[in-house]
Amino acid sequence: MEEYSIGIIEDERPIADLLFYGLRQEGYTVQVAYTAAEGLRMFAACRPDLLILDWMLPDGSGIDLCRKITEQYNLPIIMLTARSHMDDKVEGLEAGADDYITKPFELREVVVRVKAILRRIGKIRQQKEKQENILTAPPLRVNTGERLVWCHGRKAELTPREYDLLLYLLEHPHQVFTRDLLLEQVWGYDYLGDSRTVDTHIQRLRKKLDLAEQIQTVFGVGYKYLPS
Ligand code: CA
């Protein structure tokens, strides 16, 4: 599952706490700031996927902050406000906010909106990754265009054959392969080595890419890849 982080900029502690614990309970990583200045620092340090921003902050207006952030970054912002005038809503949306929640609100209402926005981002990311030939198979990300692999976000050094074997397994999840079949598919018919070559490569992939659980040995047969 994709992990998302949410930033909250809200000076009223009870509200900030409610959002912090409520959203953390939903499985998000949550950061809180209580002033506009703190909020900017928090934003720069954590770059959350979504921001919940209060309209009135002790050291400035949320709407100015919203404008400032959206000028430079593309991320969804939910504005919180005690006011419910239509003009404010328009002003908020013009400043780049995605959505708007009027206080007092129920936590559930915020969670529903947050989920809807993150679902939308998730879809856009997926489409983008598809266009860019990115294959996601936690803990791996593979760029099949450039034959690059990242494990837990760090670039992995694979030999061309290790890469071919990995990609073959990732593209055929759950299927059990004999060593001979893998030799044939990955090394080619004319390869003269023996099936222990496959074992060696599998061991190296497991070790280099933290795939001990995903690449399973099927006793007496061969190997299979199980996505996590
Ligand atoms: Ca406030």
Side-chain angles (χ1 to χ4, degrees):
M1 205 191 98
E2 186 112 33
E3 281 172 31
Y4 289 105
S5 59
I6 299 173
I8 297 166
I9 307 176
E10 162 65 270
D11 60 307
E12 286 167 75
R13 301 262 167 165
I15 295 179
D17 285 352
L18 174 76
L19 292 171
F20 176 77
Y21 291 108
L23 290 168
R24 214 170 56 161
Q25 194 135 37
E26 295 293 321
Y28 302 118
T29 305
V30 190
Q31 304 283 341
V32 184
Y34 302 102
T35 64
E38 248 181 69
L40 270 180
R41 277 199 298 277
M42 179 263 282
F43 183 79
C46 313
R47 291 291 306 275
D49 296 303
L50 182 150
L51 199 58
I52 298 177
L53 180 54
D54 185 32
W55 194 284
M56 303 277 277
L57 293 165
D59 57 339
S61 90
I63 201 78
D64 288 340
L65 196 56
C66 178
R67 242 179 236 122
K68 213 176 204 170
I69 291 173
T70 53
E71 264 171 22
Q72 290 188 57
Y73 303 98
N74 178 19
L75 89 159
I77 295 179
I78 298 177
M79 294 292 303
L80 296 179
T81 176
R83 307 183 282 184
S84 57
H85 298 112
M86 207 50 209
D87 288 350
D88 293 345
K89 185 169 179 174
V90 171
E91 196 186 344
L93 296 176
E94 276 176 355
D98 256 69
D99 207 344
Y100 184 97
I101 292 175
T102 308
K103 294 176 189 174
F105 55 79
E106 291 209 21
L107 178 63
R108 208 179 36 213
E109 185 189 345
V110 178
V111 170
V112 166
R113 305 242 196 133
V114 163
K115 282 191 173 164
I117 290 177
L118 292 178
R119 216 170 17 243
R120 199 187 68 217
I121 305 182
K123 274 189 193 148
I124 294 170
R125 276 191 193 166
Q126 269 178 9
Q127 281 167 0
K128 209 173 150 223
E129 292 195 338
K130 217 169 157 187
Q131 282 166 3
E132 291 172 352
N133 301 316
I134 302 287
L135 197 113
T136 308
L140 308 181
R141 264 166 66 84
V142 181
N143 181 327
T144 55
E146 298 178 48
R147 295 173 60 94
L148 295 175
V149 180
W150 292 268
C151 176
H152 295 297
R154 284 167 61 182
K155 204 170 140 199
E157 299 295 333
L158 298 185
T159 65
R161 201 68 91 184
E162 286 167 359
Y163 174 86
D164 290 339
L165 177 62
L166 174 71
L167 197 66
Y168 190 77
L169 291 171
L170 295 185
E171 285 176 341
H172 301 87
H174 304 285
Q175 284 185 45
V176 179
F177 294 106
T178 63
R179 290 168 179 81
D180 286 341
L181 193 75
L182 287 173
L183 270 182
E184 195 181 296
Q185 294 296 321
V186 179
W187 277 260
Y189 286 103
D190 49 357
Y191 182 72
L192 295 173
D194 66 52
S195 57
R196 269 171 303 188
T197 309
V198 177
D199 297 336
T200 318
H201 278 75
I202 292 277
Q203 278 159 25
R204 284 210 296 258
L205 284 182
R206 280 177 176 153
K207 209 166 155 190
K208 282 186 181 178
L209 302 176
D210 194 15
L211 293 178
E213 280 173 28
Q214 287 91 338
I215 301 181
Q216 298 195 340
T217 304
V218 182
F219 189 69
V221 186
Y223 297 102
K224 70 174 171 184
Y225 164 71
L226 286 181
S228 42

